[in-house]
Amino acid sequence: MPVSQSPTSRDAIIARLRTAGCVFAEEEADLLLAESGLPEVLAARVEQRVAGMPLEQVLGWAGFCGLRIAVAPGVFVPRRRTEFLVQRAVALAPADTDVVVDLCCGSGAMAAALGRLLAPAELHAADVDAAAVACARKNLPGGYVHEGDLFEALPVNLRGRVDILAANVPYVPTEALHLMPPEARLHEATWALDGGADGLAVMRRVAAGAPGWLTPDGSVLVETSERQAESAAGVFESCGLAADVAYSAEHGSAVVSGTRQAG
């Protein structure tokens, strides 16, 4: 580094990020410079990013469906591929959508996006993690955010009233967790990633409970890997739901939906 070059100059930050293995070093440097203000804040954030903390947790927000979603250290960072789940939920939602629920909500990113796109009368989100719940409450000032394990967290008066149940359940098989990027393994809660032996353990619980909460023609949607999608669809069908699998090459995502058929 030239003697005259500040350690918080754009070129110096890009060089450090590249050395740390950041693929999009230029874009990340520009965001850090634009968002950090004071030089000491910028320097601290560069150190956090170089140490492996996800950029979104460093900045305190993530972009999702055109929204700026607040995130906090340890909270699952919303992925762009999950925008496809939001798109599928909007496509399946009835014209008069009244109740939308985001289960395993993390930061509440899906709830925030669906609230904007569907404008339901009631918007609910739930997560087992207190840190995620606190984060979701910041992102959903007009919604209801509950803490607890899946359906146990929801008010009982929602039973049979949910039009769209979006659940970004963990779906990484336990034995594959060590293959995930360090950003996820070290900086996100394990229960937000670990889907059990085949990655579908939590999804099975959601599928089993969903019919009792959905309206006739209401739908539950989950994200999976492509190799898990057909198995997940079979689970939905075994629970009495009409299953559908959709793939997006653009998002690198598979979304499985299950619709409770009227009658």
Side-chain angles (χ1 to χ4, degrees):
M1 181 188 302
V3 174
S4 60
Q5 184 171 302
S6 166
T8 55
S9 71
R10 183 175 186 271
D11 287 345
I13 293 171
I14 289 172
R16 292 206 65 199
L17 294 174
R18 281 178 176 163
T19 300
C22 299
V23 177
F24 302 104
E26 291 84 357
E27 292 87 341
E28 292 194 13
D30 289 340
L31 279 169
L32 288 164
L33 285 161
E35 296 285 331
S36 298
L38 296 173
E40 57 266 32
V41 174
L42 175 60
R45 288 180 170 179
V46 171
E47 291 303 319
Q48 288 176 320
R49 183 65 184 121
V50 168
M53 181 179 287
L55 178 66
E56 295 85 356
Q57 291 180 1
V58 172
L59 296 175
W61 63 271
F64 186 79
C65 289
L67 300 174
R68 182 176 285 207
I69 301 297
V71 296
V75 175
F76 183 81
V77 175
R79 273 57 160 175
R80 290 297 177 90
R81 64 173 174 265
T82 306
E83 293 180 353
F84 183 54
L85 196 160
V86 171
Q87 292 176 11
R88 292 295 301 150
V90 171
L92 288 172
D96 56 347
T97 295
D98 188 44
V99 178
V100 169
V101 172
D102 179 0
L103 213 56
C104 303
C105 70
S107 64
M110 286 201 303
L114 290 170
R116 184 187 65 167
L117 295 168
L118 296 175
E122 292 184 50
L123 180 64
H124 294 261
D127 201 283
V128 73
D129 180 29
V133 167
C135 195
R137 285 178 175 150
K138 294 179 182 178
N139 292 314
L140 302 170
Y144 303 93
V145 183
H146 315 281
E147 182 178 344
D149 184 29
L150 298 181
F151 298 103
E152 294 177 7
L154 300 180
V156 294
N157 65 4
L158 290 183
R159 289 188 65 87
R161 297 181 49 227
V162 179
D163 297 296
I164 290 294
L165 175 63
N168 191 16
V169 298
Y171 58 89
V172 179
T174 303
E175 65 178 14
L177 288 174
H178 73 283
L179 300 174
M180 296 193 71
E183 289 183 356
R185 283 190 290 105
L186 302 179
H187 296 280
E188 294 177 327
T190 301
W191 55 77
L193 306 170
D194 189 348
D198 64 353
L200 299 179
V202 182
M203 190 280 300
R204 288 188 182 91
R205 294 177 58 207
V206 171
W213 295 83
L214 296 174
T215 61
D217 297 322
S219 297
V220 55
L221 303 97
V222 299
E223 178 181 290
T224 72
S225 68
E226 287 193 17
R227 66 177 181 79
Q228 295 167 319
E230 293 301 328
S231 295
V235 172
F236 277 156
E237 289 172 351
S238 71
C239 294
L241 299 166
D244 181 70
V245 180
Y247 301 95
S248 171
E250 176 187 355
H251 295 87
S253 177
V255 171
V256 183
S257 60
T259 299
R260 178 186 168 198
Q261 296 177 305

